[in-house]
Short mmCIF file of all heavy atoms in Angstrom, two decimals:
data_model
loop_
_atom_site.label_atom_id
_atom_site.label_comp_id
_atom_site.label_asym_id
_atom_site.label_seq_id
_atom_site.Cartn_x
_atom_site.Cartn_y
_atom_site.Cartn_z
N SER N 885 -46.78 4.77 -19.27
CA SER N 885 -47.91 4.69 -20.19
C SER N 885 -49.15 4.32 -19.40
O SER N 885 -49.08 3.88 -18.26
CB SER N 885 -47.65 3.65 -21.28
OG SER N 885 -47.46 2.37 -20.71
N TYR N 886 -50.28 4.52 -20.02
CA TYR N 886 -51.57 4.29 -19.35
C TYR N 886 -52.39 3.29 -20.15
O TYR N 886 -52.30 3.21 -21.38
CB TYR N 886 -52.34 5.60 -19.23
CG TYR N 886 -51.90 6.47 -18.09
CD1 TYR N 886 -50.67 7.11 -18.10
CD2 TYR N 886 -52.71 6.64 -16.98
CE1 TYR N 886 -50.25 7.89 -17.04
CE2 TYR N 886 -52.31 7.43 -15.91
CZ TYR N 886 -51.08 8.05 -15.95
OH TYR N 886 -50.67 8.82 -14.89
N THR N 887 -53.20 2.55 -19.42
CA THR N 887 -54.21 1.70 -20.06
C THR N 887 -55.50 2.52 -20.16
O THR N 887 -55.99 3.02 -19.15
CB THR N 887 -54.47 0.44 -19.22
OG1 THR N 887 -53.26 -0.30 -19.10
CG2 THR N 887 -55.55 -0.43 -19.87
N MET N 888 -56.01 2.65 -21.36
CA MET N 888 -57.23 3.43 -21.57
C MET N 888 -58.34 2.53 -22.08
O MET N 888 -58.13 1.66 -22.92
CB MET N 888 -56.98 4.57 -22.56
CG MET N 888 -55.99 5.60 -22.07
SD MET N 888 -56.03 7.14 -23.03
CE MET N 888 -57.59 7.84 -22.49
N THR N 889 -59.53 2.75 -21.55
CA THR N 889 -60.74 2.05 -21.99
C THR N 889 -61.75 3.10 -22.42
O THR N 889 -62.07 4.00 -21.63
CB THR N 889 -61.33 1.17 -20.87
OG1 THR N 889 -60.32 0.27 -20.41
CG2 THR N 889 -62.52 0.39 -21.38
N VAL N 890 -62.23 2.99 -23.67
CA VAL N 890 -63.08 4.04 -24.23
C VAL N 890 -64.30 3.43 -24.91
O VAL N 890 -64.18 2.41 -25.61
CB VAL N 890 -62.30 4.88 -25.28
CG1 VAL N 890 -63.17 6.04 -25.78
CG2 VAL N 890 -61.01 5.42 -24.69
N ALA N 891 -65.45 4.04 -24.67
CA ALA N 891 -66.66 3.71 -25.42
C ALA N 891 -67.12 4.98 -26.13
O ALA N 891 -67.14 6.06 -25.51
CB ALA N 891 -67.75 3.19 -24.49
N THR N 892 -67.46 4.87 -27.41
CA THR N 892 -67.84 6.04 -28.20
C THR N 892 -69.15 5.80 -28.96
O THR N 892 -69.59 4.65 -29.12
CB THR N 892 -66.73 6.40 -29.21
OG1 THR N 892 -66.44 5.24 -30.00
CG2 THR N 892 -65.47 6.85 -28.50
N GLU N 893 -69.74 6.89 -29.42
CA GLU N 893 -71.00 6.79 -30.16
C GLU N 893 -70.77 6.19 -31.54
O GLU N 893 -71.64 5.48 -32.06
CB GLU N 893 -71.62 8.19 -30.29
CG GLU N 893 -72.02 8.80 -28.95
CD GLU N 893 -72.47 10.24 -29.09
OE1 GLU N 893 -72.39 10.79 -30.22
OE2 GLU N 893 -72.90 10.84 -28.08
N ARG N 894 -69.61 6.48 -32.14
CA ARG N 894 -69.29 5.95 -33.47
C ARG N 894 -67.99 5.16 -33.40
O ARG N 894 -67.16 5.37 -32.51
CB ARG N 894 -69.15 7.11 -34.47
CG ARG N 894 -70.44 7.89 -34.67
CD ARG N 894 -70.26 9.07 -35.61
NE ARG N 894 -69.32 10.06 -35.07
CZ ARG N 894 -69.64 10.95 -34.14
NH1 ARG N 894 -70.85 10.98 -33.63
NH2 ARG N 894 -68.73 11.82 -33.71
N THR N 895 -67.81 4.26 -34.33
CA THR N 895 -66.62 3.40 -34.36
C THR N 895 -65.36 4.24 -34.51
O THR N 895 -65.28 5.11 -35.39
CB THR N 895 -66.70 2.40 -35.54
OG1 THR N 895 -67.88 1.61 -35.40
CG2 THR N 895 -65.48 1.49 -35.55
N ILE N 896 -64.39 4.01 -33.64
CA ILE N 896 -63.14 4.77 -33.68
C ILE N 896 -62.29 4.29 -34.85
O ILE N 896 -62.03 3.09 -35.00
CB ILE N 896 -62.37 4.60 -32.35
CG1 ILE N 896 -63.20 5.13 -31.19
CG2 ILE N 896 -61.02 5.30 -32.42
CD1 ILE N 896 -62.60 4.84 -29.83
N GLU N 897 -61.83 5.22 -35.63
CA GLU N 897 -60.98 4.92 -36.77
C GLU N 897 -59.64 5.63 -36.62
O GLU N 897 -59.54 6.68 -35.96
CB GLU N 897 -61.66 5.35 -38.07
CG GLU N 897 -62.99 4.63 -38.34
CD GLU N 897 -63.68 5.15 -39.59
OE1 GLU N 897 -63.18 6.16 -40.14
OE2 GLU N 897 -64.70 4.57 -40.00
N GLY N 898 -58.62 5.07 -37.22
CA GLY N 898 -57.31 5.71 -37.28
C GLY N 898 -56.46 5.57 -36.03
O GLY N 898 -55.34 6.09 -35.97
#
Side-chain angles (χ1 to χ4, degrees):
S885 60
Y886 280 70
T887 300
M888 296 195 72
T889 304
V890 184
T892 54
E893 296 173 355
R894 296 177 297 281
T895 301
I896 298 173
E897 298 176 352

